[in-house]
Amino acid sequence: MKMRIAFADHVFTATLYDSPPARDLWSMLPLELEIDNYANNEKIAYLPRKLTEEGSGSFSNEAPGDLCYYAPWGNLAFFYAGYRYSAGLIRLGRLDGGVEPLLTRGKFPLRIERLS
C-alpha cells in the first residue's frame, strides 16, 4: 500500500505495512489534513477518527522515516529524527525516500492519497 503525501512544495511517498491499523488508514484515503511540528523530531497530523489498534504492540529498531500512529491522541507521526517507542505508538509504515521534506518548519495543509 503506497501513499502519496504532499505539503508545502514537497511531494513524497510512503509504504504502509500490512497490519490492521495501516489498512484502516488506507481505507480513509484520500485525506486533507494539517501537518505541524511537534517536539524536535516529528511532524504530526490529526486524523478525523481513531484507527483500530488491533494487532499492535511494542516494537524496536525505531528510525527516522518511520510513519506511526499515536493512539492516545489520534494523530499520525512522521519521524524525521531519532525517537523511542512509547505506549500507544503504532508503526504503520516507512517513508520511501529521505526525511528532508519533514525538516520544513511550520504548519501546512497536508494531502495523503493512494498510489497503489
Side-chain angles (χ1 to χ4, degrees):
M1 296 176 286
K2 191 173 288 284
M3 305 183 309
R4 178 182 182 272
I5 304 164
F7 75 91
D9 293 329
H10 304 292
V11 178
F12 53 101
T13 61
T15 302
L16 295 175
Y17 299 141
D18 187 14
S19 68
R23 286 191 302 271
D24 194 15
L25 174 62
W26 183 256
S27 75
M28 296 171 68
L29 300 180
L31 285 169
E32 299 284 344
L33 307 171
E34 187 172 75
I35 194 167
D36 199 1
N37 307 308
Y38 184 77
N40 290 315
N41 65 341
E42 66 184 288
K43 291 188 92 59
I44 64 172
Y46 288 92
L47 293 170
R49 67 165 173 81
K50 298 233 178 183
L51 298 178
T52 182
E53 297 177 43
E54 178 187 341
S56 64
S58 64
F59 58 88
S60 59
N61 71 336
E62 305 92 332
D66 284 346
L67 171 58
C68 297
Y69 170 66
Y70 188 57
W73 294 354
N75 68 278
L76 295 177
F78 299 81
F79 287 99
Y80 58 81
Y83 74 100
R84 293 191 182 270
Y85 170 82
S86 63
L89 196 62
I90 299 169
R91 189 161 39 197
L92 301 173
R94 296 244 342 130
L95 301 181
D96 295 326
V99 298
E100 290 76 22
L102 301 176
L103 301 178
T104 302
R105 304 291 293 171
K107 186 183 291 190
F108 302 95
L110 170 72
R111 178 159 175 88
I112 306 174
E113 59 192 17
R114 295 179 184 190
L115 278 181
S116 61

